[in-house]
Amino acid sequence: MTTSLDKPLDKAGDQSEDKFFDGRMFDGQVFSGGWITPRGGDAADLEPATGTELVRTGVADEEDVASAALGAATEQRAWAATSFEERAAVLRRAGMLVERHAEELQDWIVRETGAVPGLAEFAVGVAAQECYEAAALASRPLGEILPSNQPRLSLLRRVPVGVVGVISPFNVPLILSIRSVAPALALGNAVLLKPDVRTPVVGGFAIARIFQEAGLPDGLLHVLPGSAEVGSAMISDPHVRVISFTGSSATGRKVAELAARHLKRVHLELGGNSALVILDDADLDAAVSAGAWASFLHQGQICMTAGRHLVHESIADDYVAALAQHADALPVGDPAAQQVALGPLIDAGQRDKVHGLVSGSVEAGARLAAGGWFEDLFYRPTVLDNVRTDMPAYAEEVFGPVAPVVRFGNLDEAAELAAGSDYGLSLSILTRDVMRGLALAERIPTGIVHINDQTVSDEAVAPFGGVLDSGTGARFGGTANLDAFTDQRWITMRGDIPKYPF
Ligand code: NAD
């Protein structure tokens, strides 16, 4: 087959009709057995930094979901029967296409999600790696030989689940969609993908474009942006067997309840309120840099964002002063037009929620050491001191650029504070004594631990996920994807049919 991999590269900034992710392709369309006009209508895809309409994309409704699910179930059987080499080749080409068109994809990420270019570049790198890891997954052993008390061969064989429904959020939509789409396809499944209506291109259509060009047969990947009702329709549809959901804990609970009614397996990757613990021996300058990155990267709209800075009382005054100074110096603005550290929040609803949590905490007695104000969707990086654990900006997931600081006097207090959250996604401990950090981490329930690094990290090969309200214990990444996107079948074989007593 001929793909754009065979053609010469576009020049950087080329505005010709040769754009790989040409917005006109998505105009009023969804991807479901090719680009089609959905029954659900269309919606404006807005650039948060400027309010500009980037494109009007199609929006799915429940009927679109039903016909996509039926088509996906039909096509999936033939796809599962193809050789692993064929599936792996599609995934490898997808990875190469992500890399080849990285610049254009990064541009969409910056404009549609408000990410700074560095984060967009990181997301594109992870997306390519997700495709390559998924390609490798297709050729991994798909079972085990089991012991048996009978004269027979007894096997565990992994089989595709059939149709996988992927529901993803607005914040880092490329990674959060492709981390399920790529392994699910590689393992012989079909996929219905529902990105957030605010990020339909980066969370969905760009991925459709990549896989279409990579030679994925029609009807295996359906991209259906839509409302909560569209997500519910996916969960309820009898053809969709497994749901991979990334989003807030409140929505995750609804997803789990509906899935339980339909006896569906669900993988839930939910919210967080991760602690960054700074012990008395930590390098202060490095801790301030790590703390700022952990709370302000992508305007704090990352599930692993540090929402709680727990600092030893002997260094806390210096830490707060330096973090506030650092925050005040960070430029905030349109990441497509200027070099900034923070871009816009996704929309006014999110901004008002963030500001409500900050204002509520200040009214309850927190001291605003930096930030606490906004212009349009641009929220200043904010540092809160004199924080109590019952204040809203500390107790809840803010999903904005806010660093609440709480002091502790000894390791027992640090452990109690860090563990005192409903969430359990990421944990960071900064100390010159690594073993002391590790021992402290053992006392705190969490899915991810970073000693001497901040809370935000992602690699396609690592098992990603949380405990408590951050998820159901499911993991994405590396071989964890085998569990997520296959069913286990027990098979026995013997040479002769045994004779039974009656
Ligand atoms: P959200 O839960 O509001 O939405 C996520 C997705 O679910 C969207 O596509 C939305 O349209 C859909 N949805 C909403 N209601 C639904 C329903 N009733 N049934 C089915 N689908 C429904 O989340 P959000 O506010 O867009 O995203 C931010 C949240 O996601 C934060 O809490 C963040 O921590 C979390 N998150 C978690 C991870 C992780 O890997 N653990 C990663 C990124 C974001």
Side-chain angles (χ1 to χ4, degrees):
M1 66 174 294
T2 307
T3 77
S4 71
L5 290 171
D6 307 317
K7 297 181 199 147
L9 266 178
D10 295 344
K11 280 193 232 73
D14 186 356
Q15 293 300 314
S16 72
E17 67 279 7
D18 280 352
K19 287 261 176 199
F20 186 74
F21 301 106
D22 188 336
R24 285 170 296 188
M25 190 181 298
F26 321 131
D27 195 4
Q29 307 285 289
V30 299
F31 188 75
S32 190
W35 297 100
I36 62 155
T37 305
R39 295 183 189 85
D42 60 12
D45 180 12
L46 300 177
E47 179 178 35
T50 61
T52 306
E53 182 176 305
L54 296 169
V55 64
R56 283 194 85 77
T57 66
V59 175
D61 71 3
E62 288 95 326
E63 277 187 68
D64 294 311
V65 171
S67 51
L70 180 61
T74 309
E75 298 303 326
Q76 184 268 332
R77 286 189 279 276
W79 176 240
T82 57
S83 76
F84 70 88
E85 284 126 324
E86 206 171 312
R87 281 180 273 122
V90 169
L91 269 298
R92 275 196 302 276
R93 283 198 294 272
M96 286 191 279
L97 287 161
V98 169
E99 289 178 329
R100 164 155 284 215
H101 300 288
E103 212 169 309
E104 257 190 73
L105 193 48
Q106 284 161 212
D107 201 35
W108 270 104
I109 294 173
V110 169
R111 299 199 64 189
E112 192 183 63
T113 75
V116 295
L119 177 59
E121 195 181 336
F122 170 78
V124 168
V126 172
Q129 207 51 44
E130 290 286 355
C131 293
Y132 295 135
E133 284 301 318
L137 204 59
S139 58
R140 285 188 68 89
L142 286 176
E144 291 170 27
I145 297 176
L146 304 171
S148 176
N149 57 14
Q150 305 278 323
R152 63 187 179 184
L153 193 54
S154 180
L155 307 169
L156 179 167
R157 181 180 166 211
R158 289 182 181 276
V159 293
V161 298
V163 181
V164 174
V166 178
I167 302 176
S168 62
F170 72 85
N171 62 326
V172 191
L174 180 65
I175 296 180
L176 302 174
S177 293
I178 212 164
R179 74 177 179 183
S180 293
V181 170
L185 289 173
L187 291 166
N189 302 288
V191 174
L192 263 54
L193 167 61
K194 193 203 87 61
D196 191 296
V197 274
R198 290 167 291 184
T199 51
V201 173
V202 174
F205 295 139
I207 295 171
R209 176 79 183 101
I210 293 275
F211 276 100
Q212 191 182 31
E213 185 73 9
L216 183 75
D218 270 354
L220 283 170
L221 173 62
H222 300 253
V223 177
L224 306 165
S227 61
E229 287 70 35
V230 172
S232 298
M234 268 172 56
I235 299 162
S236 311
D237 192 283
H239 299 294
V240 178
R241 297 312 313 159
V242 164
I243 294 290
S244 164
F245 173 84
T246 304
S248 64
S249 301
T251 307
R253 213 164 251 122
K254 290 185 204 157
V255 167
E257 281 167 9
L258 184 59
R261 209 176 308 148
H262 293 276
L263 301 178
K264 300 273 173 80
R265 198 163 94 211
V266 276
H267 297 277
L268 300 176
E269 294 293 352
L270 308 177
N273 193 7
S274 298
L276 171 81
V277 186
I278 306 175
L279 302 191
D280 50 0
D281 61 351
D283 175 327
L284 193 68
D285 287 347
V288 168
S289 168
W293 188 262
S295 282
F296 306 145
L297 179 66
H298 201 30
Q299 301 75 262
Q301 300 171 118
I302 300 179
C303 52
M304 299 161 279
T305 290
R308 299 177 298 141
H309 294 228
L310 309 179
V311 188
H312 191 268
E313 59 193 13
S314 64
I315 54 169
D317 287 346
D318 291 344
Y319 179 77
V320 170
L323 187 64
Q325 199 179 16
H326 197 94
D328 282 338
L330 292 175
V332 182
D334 179 354
Q338 317 150 39
Q339 210 174 1
V340 292
L342 283 80
L345 293 173
I346 192 73
D347 61 17
Q350 198 62 28
R351 178 202 63 205
D352 294 344
K353 185 189 150 221
V354 171
H355 196 55
L357 293 170
V358 170
S359 307
S361 302
V362 171
E363 278 158 28
R367 182 177 72 83
L368 207 48
W373 57 275
F374 60 89
E375 258 174 62
D376 302 324
L377 299 183
F378 301 103
Y379 205 90
R380 287 295 315 172
T382 296
V383 179
L384 290 171
D385 197 9
N386 299 344
V387 172
R388 286 193 322 270
T389 55
D390 60 349
M391 289 181 180
Y394 180 92
E396 293 176 38
E397 181 185 40
V398 177
F399 227 53
V402 180
V405 180
V406 167
R407 291 155 167 75
F408 63 86
N410 56 49
L411 288 180
D412 287 342
E413 269 177 47
E416 197 178 327
L417 280 166
S421 168
D422 293 337
Y423 296 103
L425 189 54
S426 186
L427 167 71
S428 153
I429 298 174
L430 308 183
T431 172
R432 287 197 166 91
D433 183 344
V434 172
M435 295 314 288
R436 190 163 70 128
L438 202 54
L440 178 59
E442 293 296 315
R443 303 166 65 180
I444 300 157
T446 184
I448 300 166
V449 175
H450 299 295
I451 308 288
N452 283 330
D453 207 342
Q454 47 76 42
T455 51
V456 180
S457 191
D458 191 16
E459 287 189 40
V461 292
F464 188 98
V467 297
L468 305 176
D469 284 3
S470 294
T472 41
R475 293 292 176 269
F476 292 128
T479 51
N481 288 332
L482 277 174
D483 290 328
F485 302 115
T486 62
D487 281 328
Q488 298 186 24
R489 177 173 295 185
W490 180 35
I491 303 174
T492 73
M493 286 177 280
R494 52 201 299 162
D496 299 305
I497 304 169
K499 295 222 166 39
Y500 284 92
F502 64 85

